[in-house]
Amino acid sequence: MSYVIRMNGNSNGIQKDALNGKGIGRNGISENGIDRNCVSKNGVNGNSFSVNGFDGNGFKGISVHHVSARVPVSAAKLKARRQRWNVRASEMSKNTLNPIRAIVDGMKLTPNPEKPMIALSIGDPTVFGNLPTDDSVLQAMKDAIDSHKFNGYAPSVGYLQSREAVANFYSQAGAPLEAKDVILTSGCSQAIELAISALCNPGDNILVPCPGFSLYKTLAVSVGVQVKFYNLLPEKSWEVDLQHLESLIDDRTTCLIVNNPSNPCGSVFTKEHLRNILAVASRHCIPILADEIYGDMVFPSCEFHSLANLSSDVPILSCGGLAKRWLVPGWRMGWILIHDRNNIFGSEIREALVKLSQRILGACTVVQGALESILNNTQAEFYQSTIGFLKSNSEICFAELSTVPGLNPVMPSGAMYLMVGIEMEHFPEFQNDVDFTERLVTEQSVFCLPATAFEYPNFFRIVVTVPEEMMVEACGRIREFCARHYRPLSQESNDLDQ
Ligand SMILES: Cc1ncc(COP(=O)(O)O)c(C=O)c1O
Protein backbone atom coordinates (compact mmCIF):
# COMPACT_ATOMS: atom_id res chain seq x y z
CA MET A 1 0.00 0.00 0.00
CA SER A 2 1.27 3.49 -0.59
CA TYR A 3 0.10 6.78 0.81
CA VAL A 4 1.20 10.35 1.31
CA ILE A 5 2.76 11.69 4.46
CA ARG A 6 3.52 15.32 5.16
CA MET A 7 6.75 16.41 6.74
CA ASN A 8 8.16 19.64 7.98
CA GLY A 9 11.75 19.74 7.36
CA ASN A 10 14.95 19.96 5.60
CA SER A 11 14.53 17.61 2.75
CA ASN A 12 16.47 18.31 -0.38
CA GLY A 13 13.57 20.00 -2.03
CA ILE A 14 10.60 19.08 -4.12
CA GLN A 15 10.86 15.81 -5.96
CA LYS A 16 10.15 15.20 -9.55
CA ASP A 17 9.37 11.71 -8.31
CA ALA A 18 7.75 12.70 -5.09
CA LEU A 19 4.28 11.65 -6.05
CA ASN A 20 4.88 8.53 -8.08
CA GLY A 21 5.77 6.14 -5.38
CA LYS A 22 9.47 6.02 -6.10
CA GLY A 23 10.39 7.76 -2.90
CA ILE A 24 12.78 10.67 -2.67
CA GLY A 25 14.89 10.94 -5.77
CA ARG A 26 18.14 12.73 -6.32
CA ASN A 27 16.67 15.60 -8.29
CA GLY A 28 16.12 18.27 -5.69
CA ILE A 29 15.43 21.73 -6.97
CA SER A 30 18.90 23.03 -6.29
CA GLU A 31 20.35 20.21 -8.35
CA ASN A 32 18.15 21.30 -11.20
CA GLY A 33 19.72 24.71 -11.02
CA ILE A 34 16.62 26.72 -10.18
CA ASP A 35 18.04 28.02 -6.98
CA ARG A 36 21.49 28.99 -8.05
CA ASN A 37 20.81 32.69 -8.37
CA CYS A 38 19.90 34.42 -5.23
CA VAL A 39 18.35 37.82 -5.39
CA SER A 40 21.27 39.76 -4.07
CA LYS A 41 23.49 38.28 -6.76
CA ASN A 42 21.09 39.62 -9.30
CA GLY A 43 20.58 42.88 -7.61
CA VAL A 44 16.85 42.95 -7.05
CA ASN A 45 17.15 44.94 -3.88
CA GLY A 46 20.49 44.26 -2.42
CA ASN A 47 18.97 42.24 0.38
CA SER A 48 19.86 38.63 0.36
CA PHE A 49 16.93 36.34 0.09
CA SER A 50 16.41 33.35 -2.05
CA VAL A 51 14.58 33.61 -5.34
CA ASN A 52 12.98 30.26 -4.90
CA GLY A 53 11.99 30.37 -1.30
CA PHE A 54 14.83 28.23 -0.04
CA ASP A 55 16.74 29.31 2.97
CA GLY A 56 19.97 27.57 2.28
CA ASN A 57 19.01 24.61 4.45
CA GLY A 58 16.63 23.21 1.92
CA PHE A 59 12.94 23.73 1.39
CA LYS A 60 11.17 25.79 4.02
CA GLY A 61 7.87 24.63 5.34
CA ILE A 62 5.90 21.63 4.35
CA SER A 63 7.06 19.12 1.79
CA VAL A 64 5.19 16.11 0.57
CA HIS A 65 6.68 12.66 0.24
CA HIS A 66 5.20 9.59 -1.16
CA VAL A 67 6.30 6.41 0.57
CA SER A 68 5.39 2.81 0.42
CA ALA A 69 4.71 0.89 3.60
CA ARG A 70 2.64 -1.89 5.00
CA VAL A 71 1.03 -0.37 8.04
CA PRO A 72 -2.28 -1.50 9.54
CA VAL A 73 -5.01 1.13 9.07
CA SER A 74 -6.85 2.04 12.26
CA ALA A 75 -10.64 1.72 12.51
CA ALA A 76 -11.03 5.49 12.97
CA LYS A 77 -9.06 6.14 9.80
CA LEU A 78 -11.08 3.58 7.94
CA LYS A 79 -14.28 5.29 9.07
CA ALA A 80 -13.00 8.71 7.98
CA ARG A 81 -11.93 7.38 4.66
CA ARG A 82 -13.91 8.69 1.68
CA GLN A 83 -16.32 6.17 0.29
CA ARG A 84 -16.56 7.63 -3.17
CA TRP A 85 -14.77 10.05 -5.47
CA ASN A 86 -15.67 13.69 -5.02
CA VAL A 87 -13.13 15.81 -6.84
CA ARG A 88 -14.30 19.42 -6.96
CA ALA A 89 -12.97 22.50 -8.72
CA SER A 90 -11.45 25.11 -6.40
CA GLU A 91 -13.22 28.30 -5.37
CA MET A 92 -10.50 30.30 -7.10
CA SER A 93 -11.13 28.54 -10.39
CA LYS A 94 -14.87 29.10 -10.01
CA ASN A 95 -14.23 32.77 -9.37
CA THR A 96 -12.04 33.09 -12.45
CA LEU A 97 -14.25 34.47 -15.18
CA ASN A 98 -13.20 35.81 -18.53
CA PRO A 99 -16.05 38.11 -19.59
CA ILE A 100 -15.00 38.04 -23.24
CA ARG A 101 -15.28 34.25 -23.31
CA ALA A 102 -18.50 34.34 -21.30
CA ILE A 103 -20.10 36.74 -23.77
CA VAL A 104 -18.68 35.34 -27.00
CA ASP A 105 -19.41 31.74 -26.03
CA GLY A 106 -23.01 32.73 -25.31
CA MET A 107 -23.47 34.31 -28.75
CA LYS A 108 -24.89 32.45 -31.73
CA LEU A 109 -22.17 33.19 -34.24
CA THR A 110 -23.27 31.61 -37.50
CA PRO A 111 -21.79 33.52 -40.44
CA ASN A 112 -23.64 34.10 -43.67
CA PRO A 113 -22.43 31.27 -45.94
CA GLU A 114 -22.46 33.66 -48.92
CA LYS A 115 -19.84 35.94 -47.38
CA PRO A 116 -16.38 35.04 -46.10
CA MET A 117 -15.97 35.74 -42.39
CA ILE A 118 -14.04 38.84 -41.32
CA ALA A 119 -13.09 38.83 -37.65
CA LEU A 120 -12.43 42.34 -36.37
CA SER A 121 -12.47 41.01 -32.85
CA ILE A 122 -9.08 39.48 -32.20
CA GLY A 123 -6.45 41.60 -30.47
CA ASP A 124 -3.65 39.49 -31.93
CA PRO A 125 -1.77 41.38 -34.66
CA THR A 126 -0.30 38.18 -36.10
CA VAL A 127 -3.50 36.42 -37.16
CA PHE A 128 -3.73 37.72 -40.73
CA GLY A 129 -0.01 37.50 -41.48
CA ASN A 130 0.09 41.10 -42.73
CA LEU A 131 2.05 42.41 -39.75
CA PRO A 132 5.10 40.19 -39.34
CA THR A 133 7.65 41.04 -36.70
CA ASP A 134 10.99 42.48 -37.77
CA ASP A 135 13.67 40.16 -39.19
CA SER A 136 16.06 41.38 -36.50
CA VAL A 137 13.64 40.15 -33.84
CA LEU A 138 13.49 36.71 -35.43
CA GLN A 139 17.28 36.66 -35.80
CA ALA A 140 17.74 37.49 -32.12
CA MET A 141 15.55 34.54 -31.22
CA LYS A 142 17.41 32.19 -33.61
CA ASP A 143 20.72 33.31 -32.15
CA ALA A 144 19.45 32.71 -28.62
CA ILE A 145 18.43 29.16 -29.54
CA ASP A 146 21.65 28.42 -31.43
CA SER A 147 23.76 29.62 -28.52
CA HIS A 148 22.45 26.73 -26.38
CA LYS A 149 22.82 29.11 -23.45
CA PHE A 150 19.16 29.63 -22.68
CA ASN A 151 17.71 26.19 -22.18
CA GLY A 152 17.88 26.11 -18.40
CA TYR A 153 16.12 27.89 -15.58
CA ALA A 154 16.84 31.54 -15.00
CA PRO A 155 16.33 33.35 -11.71
CA SER A 156 12.58 33.69 -11.33
CA VAL A 157 12.81 37.47 -11.82
CA GLY A 158 14.83 36.99 -15.02
CA TYR A 159 18.46 37.00 -16.10
CA LEU A 160 20.40 39.99 -14.84
CA GLN A 161 21.57 40.88 -18.34
CA SER A 162 18.04 40.80 -19.75
CA ARG A 163 16.71 42.93 -16.90
CA GLU A 164 19.54 45.36 -17.42
CA ALA A 165 18.60 45.62 -21.10
CA VAL A 166 14.98 46.42 -20.21
CA ALA A 167 16.10 48.94 -17.57
CA ASN A 168 18.35 50.71 -20.08
CA PHE A 169 15.67 50.73 -22.75
CA TYR A 170 13.01 52.27 -20.50
CA SER A 171 15.11 54.55 -18.30
CA GLN A 172 14.15 58.20 -18.54
CA ALA A 173 15.51 61.30 -16.90
CA GLY A 174 12.50 61.56 -14.61
CA ALA A 175 12.22 57.82 -14.05
CA PRO A 176 15.61 56.13 -13.97
CA LEU A 177 15.71 52.35 -13.82
CA GLU A 178 18.27 49.74 -12.89
CA ALA A 179 18.16 45.96 -13.28
CA LYS A 180 16.90 45.67 -9.71
CA ASP A 181 13.79 47.59 -10.74
CA VAL A 182 12.82 45.08 -13.44
CA ILE A 183 11.01 41.78 -13.10
CA LEU A 184 10.53 39.72 -16.23
CA THR A 185 7.21 37.93 -16.51
CA SER A 186 5.28 35.62 -18.76
CA GLY A 187 3.62 38.32 -20.82
CA CYS A 188 2.17 41.57 -19.56
CA SER A 189 -0.74 39.51 -18.22
CA GLN A 190 1.48 37.93 -15.59
CA ALA A 191 3.00 41.32 -14.80
CA ILE A 192 -0.51 42.59 -14.02
CA GLU A 193 -1.27 39.50 -11.99
CA LEU A 194 1.88 39.89 -9.91
CA ALA A 195 1.25 43.58 -9.35
CA ILE A 196 -2.35 43.05 -8.20
CA SER A 197 -1.37 40.11 -6.02
CA ALA A 198 1.50 42.04 -4.46
CA LEU A 199 -0.61 45.09 -3.60
CA CYS A 200 -4.02 43.69 -2.67
CA ASN A 201 -5.62 41.46 -0.07
CA PRO A 202 -9.06 39.87 -0.24
CA GLY A 203 -11.61 42.55 0.66
CA ASP A 204 -9.50 45.37 -0.78
CA ASN A 205 -10.62 47.14 -3.91
CA ILE A 206 -8.91 48.39 -7.03
CA LEU A 207 -9.94 51.12 -9.43
CA VAL A 208 -10.27 50.00 -13.02
CA PRO A 209 -11.11 51.93 -16.21
CA CYS A 210 -14.51 51.54 -17.83
CA PRO A 211 -14.41 50.64 -20.62
CA GLY A 212 -11.28 48.66 -19.90
CA PHE A 213 -9.31 45.52 -20.52
CA SER A 214 -11.25 42.68 -18.92
CA LEU A 215 -8.25 40.87 -17.43
CA TYR A 216 -8.02 43.33 -14.52
CA LYS A 217 -11.39 42.20 -13.21
CA THR A 218 -10.72 38.54 -13.98
CA LEU A 219 -7.52 38.54 -11.95
CA ALA A 220 -8.78 40.68 -9.08
CA VAL A 221 -12.09 38.89 -8.52
CA SER A 222 -10.42 35.48 -8.54
CA VAL A 223 -8.42 36.47 -5.46
CA GLY A 224 -11.29 38.17 -3.63
CA VAL A 225 -10.38 41.73 -4.58
CA GLN A 226 -13.30 43.98 -5.44
CA VAL A 227 -13.27 46.00 -8.64
CA LYS A 228 -14.60 49.55 -8.86
CA PHE A 229 -14.99 50.97 -12.35
CA TYR A 230 -14.17 54.58 -13.03
CA ASN A 231 -15.64 56.15 -16.14
CA LEU A 232 -13.78 57.17 -19.26
CA LEU A 233 -15.48 59.88 -21.29
CA PRO A 234 -15.89 59.21 -25.03
CA GLU A 235 -16.75 62.84 -25.67
CA LYS A 236 -13.40 63.84 -24.18
CA SER A 237 -11.32 61.34 -26.17
CA TRP A 238 -11.81 58.79 -23.40
CA GLU A 239 -10.18 60.86 -20.68
CA VAL A 240 -10.79 59.74 -17.10
CA ASP A 241 -13.76 61.27 -15.32
CA LEU A 242 -11.55 62.48 -12.48
CA GLN A 243 -14.39 63.38 -10.15
CA HIS A 244 -15.92 59.99 -10.54
CA LEU A 245 -12.53 58.35 -10.01
CA GLU A 246 -11.95 60.24 -6.81
CA SER A 247 -15.44 59.53 -5.50
CA LEU A 248 -14.75 55.78 -5.62
CA ILE A 249 -11.73 55.82 -3.34
CA ASP A 250 -12.16 54.45 0.16
CA ASP A 251 -9.94 53.08 2.89
CA ARG A 252 -9.76 49.66 1.22
CA THR A 253 -8.56 51.02 -2.12
CA THR A 254 -5.09 49.64 -2.69
CA CYS A 255 -4.38 50.23 -6.36
CA LEU A 256 -5.38 52.43 -9.28
CA ILE A 257 -5.01 50.85 -12.72
CA VAL A 258 -4.32 53.25 -15.57
CA ASN A 259 -4.16 51.84 -19.08
CA ASN A 260 -2.52 54.22 -21.53
CA PRO A 261 -2.70 53.86 -24.55
CA SER A 262 -5.97 52.09 -24.04
CA ASN A 263 -7.50 48.82 -24.99
CA PRO A 264 -10.35 49.02 -26.08
CA CYS A 265 -10.42 52.79 -26.76
CA GLY A 266 -7.17 53.44 -28.64
CA SER A 267 -6.92 56.67 -26.64
CA VAL A 268 -3.65 58.31 -25.56
CA PHE A 269 -3.64 60.63 -22.56
CA THR A 270 -2.00 64.04 -22.67
CA LYS A 271 0.74 64.97 -20.24
CA GLU A 272 -1.65 67.30 -18.46
CA HIS A 273 -4.30 64.65 -18.02
CA LEU A 274 -1.77 62.16 -16.68
CA ARG A 275 -0.65 64.78 -14.16
CA ASN A 276 -4.26 65.19 -13.06
CA ILE A 277 -4.59 61.45 -12.54
CA LEU A 278 -1.36 61.45 -10.55
CA ALA A 279 -2.70 64.27 -8.40
CA VAL A 280 -5.72 62.15 -7.41
CA ALA A 281 -3.49 59.18 -6.57
CA SER A 282 -1.14 61.41 -4.62
CA ARG A 283 -3.94 63.05 -2.60
CA HIS A 284 -5.18 59.65 -1.46
CA CYS A 285 -1.82 57.85 -1.31
CA ILE A 286 -2.85 55.16 -3.79
CA PRO A 287 -0.12 53.40 -5.80
CA ILE A 288 -0.64 53.04 -9.55
CA LEU A 289 -0.45 50.00 -11.78
CA ALA A 290 0.29 51.57 -15.17
CA ASP A 291 -0.57 49.13 -17.96
CA GLU A 292 1.65 50.52 -20.72
CA ILE A 293 1.74 47.49 -23.00
CA TYR A 294 0.85 49.86 -25.89
CA GLY A 295 3.40 52.47 -24.79
CA ASP A 296 4.98 54.15 -27.82
CA MET A 297 2.29 52.73 -30.12
CA VAL A 298 0.87 56.17 -30.77
CA PHE A 299 0.09 57.92 -34.03
CA PRO A 300 2.60 60.58 -35.15
CA SER A 301 0.25 63.44 -34.27
CA CYS A 302 0.54 62.73 -30.52
CA GLU A 303 3.08 61.68 -27.94
CA PHE A 304 3.21 58.89 -25.39
CA HIS A 305 4.21 59.88 -21.85
CA SER A 306 4.93 57.18 -19.35
CA LEU A 307 3.20 57.87 -16.08
CA ALA A 308 6.34 57.20 -14.06
CA ASN A 309 8.24 59.98 -15.80
CA LEU A 310 5.64 62.48 -14.63
CA SER A 311 5.27 61.23 -11.07
CA SER A 312 7.10 63.00 -8.29
CA ASP A 313 5.74 60.93 -5.41
CA VAL A 314 3.23 58.29 -6.47
CA PRO A 315 4.92 54.86 -6.65
CA ILE A 316 4.21 53.09 -9.91
CA LEU A 317 4.39 49.53 -11.17
CA SER A 318 4.58 49.91 -14.92
CA CYS A 319 3.60 46.75 -16.80
CA GLY A 320 4.64 46.13 -20.39
CA GLY A 321 6.02 43.56 -22.75
CA LEU A 322 7.01 42.52 -26.26
CA ALA A 323 3.54 41.43 -27.39
CA LYS A 324 2.26 44.48 -29.20
CA ARG A 325 5.05 46.81 -30.14
CA TRP A 326 7.23 43.95 -31.38
CA LEU A 327 4.22 42.01 -32.70
CA VAL A 328 5.03 38.73 -30.94
CA PRO A 329 2.24 38.14 -28.40
CA GLY A 330 2.82 34.40 -28.42
CA TRP A 331 6.36 34.76 -27.10
CA ARG A 332 4.90 35.65 -23.70
CA MET A 333 7.51 38.15 -22.58
CA GLY A 334 6.47 40.92 -20.23
CA TRP A 335 7.88 42.94 -17.40
CA ILE A 336 7.18 45.05 -14.35
CA LEU A 337 9.17 48.25 -13.98
CA ILE A 338 9.28 49.32 -10.35
CA HIS A 339 9.30 53.10 -10.03
CA ASP A 340 9.67 54.08 -6.42
CA ARG A 341 12.03 56.97 -6.03
CA ASN A 342 10.64 57.95 -2.64
CA ASN A 343 10.96 54.42 -1.33
CA ILE A 344 7.27 54.10 -0.57
CA PHE A 345 7.05 50.51 -1.80
CA GLY A 346 10.30 49.89 0.05
CA SER A 347 11.66 46.39 0.25
CA GLU A 348 8.30 44.90 1.20
CA ILE A 349 6.62 45.29 -2.18
CA ARG A 350 9.81 44.37 -4.03
CA GLU A 351 10.11 41.21 -1.98
CA ALA A 352 6.44 40.46 -2.55
CA LEU A 353 6.93 40.70 -6.30
CA VAL A 354 10.02 38.50 -6.17
CA LYS A 355 8.23 35.88 -4.09
CA LEU A 356 5.24 35.87 -6.41
CA SER A 357 7.52 35.53 -9.44
CA GLN A 358 8.67 32.23 -7.95
CA ARG A 359 5.26 30.70 -8.37
CA ILE A 360 6.00 29.84 -12.00
CA LEU A 361 9.79 30.21 -11.93
CA GLY A 362 9.90 33.12 -14.32
CA ALA A 363 9.57 33.94 -17.99
CA CYS A 364 10.69 31.86 -20.98
CA THR A 365 14.48 31.83 -20.98
CA VAL A 366 14.97 31.69 -24.76
CA VAL A 367 13.11 34.95 -25.17
CA GLN A 368 15.07 36.37 -22.24
CA GLY A 369 18.23 35.40 -24.12
CA ALA A 370 17.03 37.31 -27.17
CA LEU A 371 15.72 40.33 -25.25
CA GLU A 372 18.79 42.55 -25.24
CA SER A 373 19.23 42.20 -28.97
CA ILE A 374 15.50 42.70 -29.65
CA LEU A 375 15.43 45.93 -27.65
CA ASN A 376 18.67 47.31 -29.03
CA ASN A 377 18.60 46.17 -32.66
CA THR A 378 15.04 46.69 -33.85
CA GLN A 379 15.16 49.62 -36.23
CA ALA A 380 12.90 52.64 -35.78
CA GLU A 381 11.48 52.04 -39.28
CA PHE A 382 9.86 48.83 -38.07
CA TYR A 383 7.82 50.64 -35.40
CA GLN A 384 7.06 53.53 -37.72
CA SER A 385 5.73 51.27 -40.41
CA THR A 386 3.50 49.38 -37.94
CA ILE A 387 2.15 52.63 -36.55
CA GLY A 388 1.67 54.08 -40.02
CA PHE A 389 -0.40 51.05 -40.96
CA LEU A 390 -2.53 51.20 -37.80
CA LYS A 391 -3.17 54.90 -38.28
CA SER A 392 -4.12 54.52 -41.92
CA ASN A 393 -6.49 51.63 -41.18
CA SER A 394 -8.03 53.58 -38.28
CA GLU A 395 -8.60 56.56 -40.57
CA ILE A 396 -10.25 54.38 -43.22
CA CYS A 397 -12.50 52.78 -40.62
CA PHE A 398 -13.33 56.06 -38.89
CA ALA A 399 -14.08 57.89 -42.17
CA GLU A 400 -16.33 55.06 -43.35
CA LEU A 401 -18.27 54.53 -40.15
CA SER A 402 -18.71 58.17 -39.19
CA THR A 403 -21.01 58.59 -42.19
CA VAL A 404 -23.16 55.59 -41.23
CA PRO A 405 -26.42 56.76 -39.64
CA GLY A 406 -26.76 55.32 -36.14
CA LEU A 407 -23.05 54.79 -35.51
CA ASN A 408 -20.60 57.03 -33.64
CA PRO A 409 -17.01 55.91 -34.04
CA VAL A 410 -14.36 57.55 -31.84
CA MET A 411 -11.08 58.17 -33.66
CA PRO A 412 -8.17 56.55 -31.78
CA SER A 413 -4.70 58.07 -31.30
CA GLY A 414 -2.79 54.84 -30.75
CA ALA A 415 -2.86 51.14 -29.85
CA MET A 416 -4.80 48.91 -32.27
CA TYR A 417 -8.46 49.53 -31.51
CA LEU A 418 -11.35 51.76 -32.36
CA MET A 419 -14.61 52.00 -30.41
CA VAL A 420 -17.92 52.58 -32.15
CA GLY A 421 -21.03 53.81 -30.35
CA ILE A 422 -24.37 52.39 -31.44
CA GLU A 423 -27.43 54.65 -31.17
CA MET A 424 -29.57 51.77 -29.98
CA GLU A 425 -32.77 53.81 -30.21
CA HIS A 426 -32.33 53.71 -34.00
CA PHE A 427 -32.01 49.94 -34.03
CA PRO A 428 -35.17 48.83 -32.20
CA GLU A 429 -34.82 45.26 -33.47
CA PHE A 430 -31.80 44.76 -31.22
CA GLN A 431 -31.82 44.73 -27.45
CA ASN A 432 -28.20 45.66 -26.98
CA ASP A 433 -24.68 45.60 -28.45
CA VAL A 434 -24.44 41.82 -28.04
CA ASP A 435 -27.60 41.34 -30.07
CA PHE A 436 -26.43 43.87 -32.66
CA THR A 437 -23.00 42.28 -33.18
CA GLU A 438 -24.47 38.77 -33.24
CA ARG A 439 -26.81 39.70 -36.11
CA LEU A 440 -23.92 41.43 -37.88
CA VAL A 441 -22.25 38.03 -38.02
CA THR A 442 -25.39 36.22 -39.16
CA GLU A 443 -26.09 38.66 -41.96
CA GLN A 444 -22.72 40.07 -42.96
CA SER A 445 -20.12 37.64 -41.55
CA VAL A 446 -18.36 40.49 -39.75
CA PHE A 447 -17.52 39.96 -36.10
CA CYS A 448 -16.81 42.91 -33.80
CA LEU A 449 -16.55 42.47 -30.06
CA PRO A 450 -19.57 43.90 -28.22
CA ALA A 451 -18.25 46.37 -25.65
CA THR A 452 -20.35 44.76 -22.94
CA ALA A 453 -17.19 42.61 -22.73
CA PHE A 454 -15.48 45.77 -21.46
CA GLU A 455 -18.38 46.67 -19.14
CA TYR A 456 -19.47 49.30 -21.67
CA PRO A 457 -22.75 48.43 -23.38
CA ASN A 458 -23.97 49.95 -26.64
CA PHE A 459 -20.55 50.16 -28.20
CA PHE A 460 -18.48 47.67 -30.15
CA ARG A 461 -14.73 47.41 -30.60
CA ILE A 462 -12.93 47.05 -33.90
CA VAL A 463 -9.36 45.75 -34.12
CA VAL A 464 -7.56 47.70 -36.83
CA THR A 465 -4.74 45.23 -37.56
CA VAL A 466 -6.59 43.46 -40.37
CA PRO A 467 -5.35 43.93 -43.97
CA GLU A 468 -6.61 47.17 -45.52
CA GLU A 469 -8.84 45.50 -48.12
CA MET A 470 -10.56 43.52 -45.36
CA MET A 471 -11.08 46.69 -43.36
CA VAL A 472 -12.69 48.41 -46.37
CA GLU A 473 -14.88 45.38 -47.12
CA ALA A 474 -15.91 45.04 -43.44
CA CYS A 475 -16.88 48.71 -43.18
CA GLY A 476 -18.96 48.41 -46.36
CA ARG A 477 -20.80 45.45 -44.88
CA ILE A 478 -21.38 47.26 -41.57
CA ARG A 479 -22.85 50.16 -43.56
CA GLU A 480 -25.18 47.81 -45.43
CA PHE A 481 -26.25 46.16 -42.17
CA CYS A 482 -27.00 49.48 -40.50
CA ALA A 483 -28.89 50.82 -43.51
CA ARG A 484 -31.11 47.76 -43.38
CA HIS A 485 -31.92 48.01 -39.69
CA TYR A 486 -31.81 51.77 -39.01
CA ARG A 487 -35.13 53.31 -38.03
CA PRO A 488 -35.51 57.08 -37.65
CA LEU A 489 -37.17 58.17 -34.42
CA SER A 490 -40.82 59.11 -34.91
CA GLN A 491 -40.10 62.81 -34.36
CA GLU A 492 -37.38 62.70 -37.04
CA SER A 493 -39.72 60.98 -39.52
CA ASN A 494 -42.37 63.65 -38.86
CA ASP A 495 -39.76 66.31 -39.58
CA LEU A 496 -38.88 64.57 -42.82
CA ASP A 497 -42.55 64.37 -43.84
CA GLN A 498 -43.07 68.11 -43.49
C1 LIG B 1 -4.33 46.51 -22.14
C2 LIG B 1 -3.67 45.18 -22.19
N1 LIG B 1 -2.87 44.82 -21.16
C3 LIG B 1 -2.25 43.64 -21.15
C4 LIG B 1 -2.39 42.72 -22.18
C5 LIG B 1 -1.72 41.38 -22.09
O1 LIG B 1 -0.53 41.34 -22.80
P1 LIG B 1 0.30 39.99 -22.93
O2 LIG B 1 -0.15 39.34 -24.19
O3 LIG B 1 1.73 40.42 -23.00
O4 LIG B 1 0.03 39.16 -21.74
C6 LIG B 1 -3.21 43.06 -23.27
C7 LIG B 1 -3.42 42.10 -24.36
O5 LIG B 1 -4.23 42.24 -25.23
C8 LIG B 1 -3.86 44.31 -23.27
O6 LIG B 1 -4.66 44.70 -24.28
Side-chain angles (χ1 to χ4, degrees), residues 123-124 186-192 212-216 259-264 291-294 319-324 328-330 332-334 416-417 461:
D124 177 346
S186 178
C188 183
S189 306
Q190 198 211 356
I192 296 166
F213 184 47
S214 55
L215 185 71
Y216 311 135
N259 175 215
N260 178 50
S262 154
N263 175 11
D291 180 349
E292 297 181 339
I293 183 77
Y294 300 98
C319 299
L322 288 184
K324 311 291 174 167
V328 287
R332 312 306 303 132
M333 173 53 64
M416 349 185 288
Y417 311 101
R461 185 195 73 175

Side-chain angles (χ1 to χ4, degrees), residues 227-246:
V227 169
K228 292 187 175 187
F229 292 102
Y230 63 84
N231 292 334
L232 305 181
L233 303 168
E235 67 279 12
K236 292 181 80 183
S237 306
W238 300 107
E239 282 194 346
V240 175
D241 180 340
L242 294 165
Q243 270 191 347
H244 183 232
L245 171 71
E246 196 153 10

Side-chain angles (χ1 to χ4, degrees), residues 112 115 400-401 404-405 407 427 436 440 443-444 473-486:
N112 178 347
K115 300 189 181 205
E400 274 296 307
L401 299 188
V404 173
L407 295 185
F427 298 98
F436 182 98
L440 185 57
E443 292 180 23
Q444 297 289 347
E473 169 70 19
C475 289
R477 293 196 210 166
I478 294 172
R479 174 185 295 282
E480 201 179 304
F481 176 80
C482 289
R484 186 159 172 218
H485 297 285
Y486 182 90

